Amino acid sequence: MLKKIGLVPRLLLGIISGILIGMFLPETVSRLLYTFTHIFGEFLNYIVPFVILAFIIPGIAELGNKAGRLLGSTVLIAYVSTITAGTAAYLIASRIVPAIVKAANVANPEEGGLEPFLTLEIPPLLGVMTALVTAFVIGMGINHIRHNGDQQNLYGFMTEFRDIIVLVIENVIIPFLPLHIAGVFANMAFSGTAFETLNVFGRVFALIIAMHLGYLVILYTIAGSVSGKNPFKSLKNMIPAYTTAIGTMSSAATIPVTLKSARKNNITEKILDFVIPLCATVHLAGSTITLTTCAIAVVLIQGGTPEFGLFLHFILMLGVTMIAAPGVPGGAVMAALGLLTSILGFGEGATALMIGLYLAQDSFGTDTNVTGDGAIAIIVDAIGKQSGAIKEEAA
């Protein structure tokens, strides 16, 4: 029956249940729930390197030569857009969020009154950076092999491996996330500061949505200056994709509507055919804004300082690790878990809070991603026409 309920309602149910359990039920019940959270957190740390390998290797291998010289331009523009969005989010959030956190007595998710009944360590087979470098080496190697007509056995293996990891995410991680989040909030409620935490992140979400909308206006203004198109008319044409993404919570699942909406902006058909599907996997500006802002809030809650150098490192790597994040809700945050732990030093409580907070608004990050894809298609189309690349490719 719970499968018929959407992910966001289930997460909200998990938060509410955790708070009620921590406030009103015996400590034994809260500790039992927190024990599950601890073990599940260890499993997440274990699975992260596999997520990186499973997403990035096929993602790079599938880039191929979809549109000749314009492919590199598209990937570069998408990456710059993602990094710019994250950097802008840092510059804004690092000045506004500290005042929000300071105004409330917020609990550190790594601390609290509960202790698990048992502790279990599940060490990952690979470190995050090792997995990332390995993914790039193998991914580029498979890409070369595929497009030189050689054997594709390794590519087939990696796509099946990705399918397995997606199954784990869809059938294990996503279903049990509400229970995982419930344990975190039970710990906060037991400490007496759960409501303050929710109050803080309610304000943070309002800031995130404002930054999403602001970034889209800027991106379409740039696209309009390059192409000569009216940016607000172009943005208006993408509203169906924006609203559809709120429901699907997946860039990949929204591709048909994104293509239909982008066609209204008079973009060359062949550009649409590869830019929109490609950007669904490599352009995640909205997700980066959300992850960066939420991470700043969690760092501040823990009593730390969101240093620019540290977050720039996080943002630059984030734009890479989210390549080919699966078309399932929460794919971006799943791919980002390794960076949250290795670069920002988040523990089980902090990562669990990040997952819950991100997924609670995942649809808004996704609609920014897909709407931004339309702007990138306009830019690539203009570059192709100005350089003559589109005529050359057509010939």
Side-chain angles (χ1 to χ4, degrees):
M1 181 176 179
L2 285 176
K3 289 185 177 180
K4 297 180 179 179
I5 304 175
L7 177 59
V8 173
R10 280 184 282 152
L11 285 171
L12 294 176
L13 182 62
I15 291 172
I16 295 170
S17 300
I19 292 174
L20 294 176
I21 291 171
M23 291 178 63
F24 299 112
L25 293 186
E27 181 180 343
T28 302
V29 178
S30 297
R31 287 186 64 191
L32 185 63
L33 182 59
Y34 191 66
T35 299
F36 171 82
T37 293
H38 163 72
I39 296 174
F40 192 79
E42 287 291 320
F43 174 73
L44 285 178
N45 290 334
Y46 166 78
I47 205 71
V48 162
F50 293 135
V51 171
I52 292 172
L53 294 173
F55 295 170
I56 294 180
I57 292 175
I60 294 175
E62 290 165 358
L63 290 180
N65 297 306
K66 294 178 182 177
R69 68 181 69 175
L70 292 179
L71 173 64
S73 299
T74 304
V75 174
L76 179 61
I77 292 169
Y79 181 75
V80 170
S81 174
T82 299
I83 300 311
T84 301
T87 304
Y90 170 85
L91 294 174
I92 296 172
S94 62
R95 285 158 176 77
I96 297 177
V97 176
I100 297 175
V101 174
K102 187 177 180 180
N105 178 26
V106 187
N108 183 345
E110 298 296 340
E111 299 176 356
L114 296 176
E115 293 289 339
F117 283 113
L118 62 91
T119 58
L120 179 66
E121 293 186 5
I122 311 176
L125 294 179
L126 293 172
V128 171
M129 289 307 300
T130 301
L132 188 59
V133 173
T134 302
F136 264 86
V137 171
I138 297 178
M140 293 178 69
I142 294 176
N143 186 294
H144 176 77
I145 291 173
R146 286 189 71 209
H147 298 284
N148 281 277
D150 297 325
Q151 293 289 331
Q152 299 190 25
N153 295 339
L154 187 55
Y155 171 71
F157 169 79
M158 291 311 306
T159 54
E160 291 181 8
F161 180 56
R162 179 176 58 185
D163 292 341
I164 292 172
I165 297 301
V166 170
L167 282 174
V168 172
I169 291 175
E170 291 179 337
N171 297 298
V172 178
I173 295 178
I174 295 297
F176 285 104
L177 270 180
L179 194 60
H180 182 49
I181 303 303
V184 173
F185 278 89
N187 189 32
M188 290 182 179
F190 189 80
S191 303
T193 52
F195 291 107
E196 289 81 356
T197 302
L198 291 175
N199 180 42
V200 165
F201 279 100
R203 299 179 184 182
V204 170
F205 285 159
L207 174 63
I208 289 171
I209 293 173
M211 287 193 289
H212 283 167
L213 296 175
Y215 189 73
L216 286 176
V217 170
I218 293 172
L219 191 58
Y220 273 85
T221 300
I222 294 172
S225 67
V226 172
S227 64
K229 301 179 188 293
N230 185 318
F232 295 101
K233 182 179 179 181
S234 299
L235 185 55
K236 180 182 177 181
N237 289 336
M238 295 299 296
I239 289 178
Y242 185 94
T243 55
T244 301
I246 293 177
T248 63
M249 298 172 64
S250 167
S251 296
T254 314
I255 286 175
V257 181
T258 308
L259 284 167
K260 184 177 180 180
S261 300
R263 284 193 179 94
K264 297 177 183 178
N265 290 326
N266 297 318
I267 302 170
T268 306
E269 193 70 24
K270 68 168 297 181
I271 293 296
L272 285 177
D273 287 343
F274 86 91
V275 171
I276 296 300
L278 178 61
C279 283
T281 63
V282 300
H283 182 235
L284 294 103
S287 299
T288 303
I289 289 172
T290 303
L291 287 167
T292 301
T293 306
C294 286
I296 287 173
V298 173
V299 167
L300 289 167
I301 287 173
Q302 292 179 302
T305 302
E307 299 176 0
F308 177 72
L310 193 66
F311 267 84
L312 181 60
H313 182 197
F314 171 71
I315 293 166
L316 291 173
M317 299 304 296
L318 194 60
V320 175
T321 57
M322 290 193 299
I323 290 176
V328 296
V333 73
M334 291 296 113
L337 286 181
L339 301 181
L340 292 171
T341 56
S342 64
I343 296 178
L344 299 183
F346 284 12
E348 293 174 7
T351 54
L353 186 58
M354 279 291 297
I355 293 171
L357 294 170
Y358 180 86
L359 290 179
Q361 64 71 67
D362 188 21
S363 57
F364 294 101
T366 302
D367 57 33
T368 303
N369 294 339
V370 301
T371 306
D373 295 347
I376 291 180
I378 292 174
I379 295 172
V380 174
D381 186 47
I383 292 174
K385 289 175 180 177
Q386 292 168 10
S387 66
I390 293 179
K391 293 181 181 179
E392 291 173 16
E393 292 288 347

